[in-house]
Amino acid sequence: MNINIYHSGSSANLYRVSDKGVSILIEAGVPVKKIKKALNYKLSNIAGCLVSHAHMDHAKGLKDLLQCGVDCYVSPETAKALDLSGHRLYIIKPMEQFKIGTWIIKPFDLVHDAPCLGFLMVSGENKVLFAIDTNYIPYRFRGLTHIMLGVNYDNEILMDNVTLGHIHPELTKRILKNHMSLRTAKNFFRANDMSKVREIYLLHLSDGNSNAERFKTEIQQITGRPVYV
Amino acid sequence: MSKPQEKLPATQQGERGLPVKNETIDAVSNRIKVLQNSGELHFPPDYSPQNALKSAWLILQNVVDRNQKPALQVCTTASIYNALLDMVITGLNPAKAQGYFIVYGNQLVFQRSYFGTQALAKRVNSDIEDITAVVVYKGDEFEYRLSKGKRIVSRHTQKLENINSKNIVAAYCEVYNHEGEIIASDIMTMDEIKKAWAMSKIKPITEKGDIKKGSTHDEFTEEMCKRTIINRTCKPIINSSDDKHLKLAASRSEVVRTENAIEEEIEEHANQDFIDVDEVKETSGQEEPREEQAKEDTPDNEEGTSDNNGSGRVYVHCENPDAKSYFKKRIAIEVCENNCRFFSKCETAQDALKKAVAGTETGEGEDGQKKLGPDF
């Protein structure tokens, strides 16, 4: 079981989860050229690509990836927004699980300003949660082994930036509504069973409104598990 | 950095034991002076920051949160400082009902009233002489025209007997300059007004879309309509200011309110029901019932073709538009022990699959990872 973080943040996202030789890309937020480079030009080893939503930092390379012959799995809303089609395109819906190789994947709804999916992925003993670009997680999970969670800002840093005039109030409201705060993330970790968790990845940290070291330390304190930012 | 407010020593006590001067007030005054001296902040000649701060401090003594706890005890010093600073920078005075203080969690905010909104619009745009709001009732003669993207009322006559707060159909606001010309104008229908109210935190609108009985919006419907249309008309004027301090001060209360509303939503909806993947049977056990199902289905018009891309994976293309597959037209079947996903119940497709599999049986699966299932 392997997790690779190639790109993470507000400008580009690209991740890979693989188990027993079945590799799944999650998000395609960089041009396909960069995806190939990240994968060492072995695109054929990818069994499929899941994309959470239609925003460019998550789907920029999606169209070309379909052209390159990679099976891509997106929600109907994402397919429509990006005008996707083709025989490599698979439409997935929340709560309707499907299989890619050894992976059983159940998508579920998240809270964002574009329809956005999270993924619960199971392969053998591994149970991975992937949720990014969401205000909070509506659900709870049992027996997760790996958590990949988008945590964007800290309320205090964000409000300080508003007061100092570093960030526009309207943008602030958008961030508040559509991304996860450290506070919400901590409550998520408290609400879920952490007994089997082996690794936690914090994704999509904001450049100006977060503090990677502090996020890492505080979540490690709550969960007692290794946290990677 | 934010100490609880009660720990701040009041440097001077008023006659009734109220702290009339305080470190927070001093800090705000100092900040204002810095901004004034650097030329970043200008006040109208009739505005005295010191007087406004004194009034605010007295009013703050009586502000409580929703648990009836004094604001000065529950709010952070930083938020009190910011609320007072917002008030002074926008040049408003709570003693003139231009705004009031509200507690959200441990945050104090200065919430502009619609009197304050009018005063601020006048300050941002010195051409403004007057801002009026009028309510339109059923039976009024009312006409409007569109001009340069603005909705401008061209005729409105009213009879006394039309006036009935249950029969409001619209409200409009007109902004006049010193020459008496309309420089800004907007109209909202009662529907639009109600929609705006439905967003309000105190929820004066029922789920059916009616005004809640006994609410302020029910008892003073006209006044609330005027307030809503004035706010809407003045907001773009205030936002068009190029004074960054003023713009920030004018909008920060909204950010805090948004933050608070979101916190409440998160508390209510986050981390609720458990979800998990459904149990999946082993592939070998799955084949037989699928074969049976396939026989029961009698698709009447379909064709199946297949191809093998050489990677050990077989694709079956089913042309039947009614194919009961999850992904109607294309059914991908991985030839491996682990799964055959999205398998169609369509007989032709299955036949095509068998043929395709027969073709691959002689071939070599890539990396040895993908082998043929026992049933194939």
Side-chain angles (χ1 to χ4, degrees), chain B residues 13-294:
Chain B
Q13 296 286 315
E15 274 176 35
R16 286 150 61 215
L18 295 173
V20 291
K21 204 158 176 278
N22 177 291
E23 282 176 8
T24 315
I25 297 278
D26 285 343
V28 176
S29 296
N30 290 339
R31 174 79 182 134
I32 296 294
K33 273 178 200 143
V34 170
L35 290 177
Q36 266 181 312
N37 290 341
S38 65
E40 287 180 76
L41 195 61
H42 304 280
F43 291 114
D46 58 348
Y47 184 74
S48 157
Q50 264 60 38
N51 284 352
L53 278 173
K54 273 179 202 157
S55 314
W57 195 249
L58 285 170
I59 286 168
L60 270 180
Q61 310 300 317
N62 296 322
V63 175
V64 290
D65 71 358
R66 60 177 171 188
N67 304 320
Q68 303 303 314
K69 280 198 176 149
L72 292 178
Q73 274 178 30
V74 295
C75 294
T76 64
T77 314
S79 78
I80 296 171
Y81 169 87
N82 283 331
L84 290 169
L85 194 62
D86 289 347
M87 176 197 81
V88 177
I89 288 176
T90 47
L92 300 177
N93 190 337
K96 293 183 190 165
Q98 289 169 331
Y100 36 93
F101 293 96
I102 304 179
V103 183
Y104 290 109
N106 63 356
Q107 299 284 307
L108 186 73
V109 299
F110 180 71
Q111 180 69 48
R112 205 166 62 227
S113 72
Y114 82 101
F115 300 113
T117 300
Q118 293 182 60
L120 188 54
K122 283 181 186 174
R123 203 182 129 205
V124 167
N125 185 342
S126 53
D127 288 342
I128 297 175
E129 170 78 27
D130 202 9
I131 299 166
T132 60
V134 183
V135 170
V136 186
Y137 297 95
K138 204 172 160 186
D140 286 8
E141 286 180 41
F142 183 81
E143 276 172 25
Y144 73 94
R145 63 191 164 85
L146 294 171
S147 168
K148 293 176 188 166
K150 285 187 296 218
R151 295 200 274 187
I152 296 173
V153 178
S154 40
R155 194 164 68 97
H156 181 205
T157 51
Q158 196 166 68
K159 283 183 182 153
L160 274 179
E161 57 262 32
N162 291 351
I163 297 177
N164 178 347
S165 63
K166 303 284 171 241
N167 290 338
I168 299 173
V169 291
Y172 62 92
C173 174
E174 290 172 335
V175 180
Y176 294 93
N177 66 8
H178 303 300
E179 282 76 46
E181 294 160 349
I182 295 174
I183 53 171
S185 153
D186 208 348
I187 303 170
M188 281 174 97
T189 64
M190 197 58 202
D191 252 12
E192 289 175 307
I193 292 173
K194 280 183 184 168
K195 266 182 200 152
W197 290 353
M199 310 293 280
S200 158
K201 217 171 129 60
I202 53 170
K203 305 214 185 319
I205 299 290
T206 63
E207 277 176 17
K208 280 186 188 166
D210 302 323
I211 303 171
K212 218 175 254 172
K213 287 271 169 292
S215 65
T216 319
H217 293 72
D218 180 43
E219 286 176 29
F220 305 99
T221 316
E222 279 95 345
E223 287 310 305
M224 296 314 266
C225 286
K226 287 181 186 176
R227 173 178 175 268
T228 304
I229 184 69
I230 285 176
N231 276 331
R232 173 145 124 180
T233 315
C234 290
K235 206 173 172 185
I237 300 173
I238 294 169
N239 284 346
S240 71
S241 160
D242 47 17
D243 182 330
K244 64 173 183 179
H245 296 290
L246 193 144
K247 257 161 95 172
L248 170 63
S251 53
R252 191 166 40 208
S253 69
E254 270 185 63
V255 176
V256 177
R257 268 192 304 167
T258 307
E259 189 194 12
N260 194 259
I262 288 164
E263 287 290 316
E264 281 179 11
E265 194 200 322
I266 294 174
E267 207 148 287
E268 200 177 324
H269 298 293
N271 313 323
Q272 298 293 311
D273 298 339
F274 280 100
I275 57 170
D276 211 335
V277 295
D278 308 319
E279 286 290 315
V280 178
K281 287 177 210 156
E282 288 303 308
T283 319
S284 52
Q286 246 176 347
E287 288 309 311
E288 270 189 58
R290 282 192 170 174
E291 291 272 313
E292 278 166 29
Q293 279 174 346

Side-chain angles (χ1 to χ4, degrees), chain A residues 70-87:
Chain A
V70 175
D71 290 347
C72 295
Y73 298 76
V74 302
S75 69
E77 294 87 355
T78 303
K80 202 179 161 203
L82 297 172
D83 193 20
L84 301 174
S85 60
H87 68 286

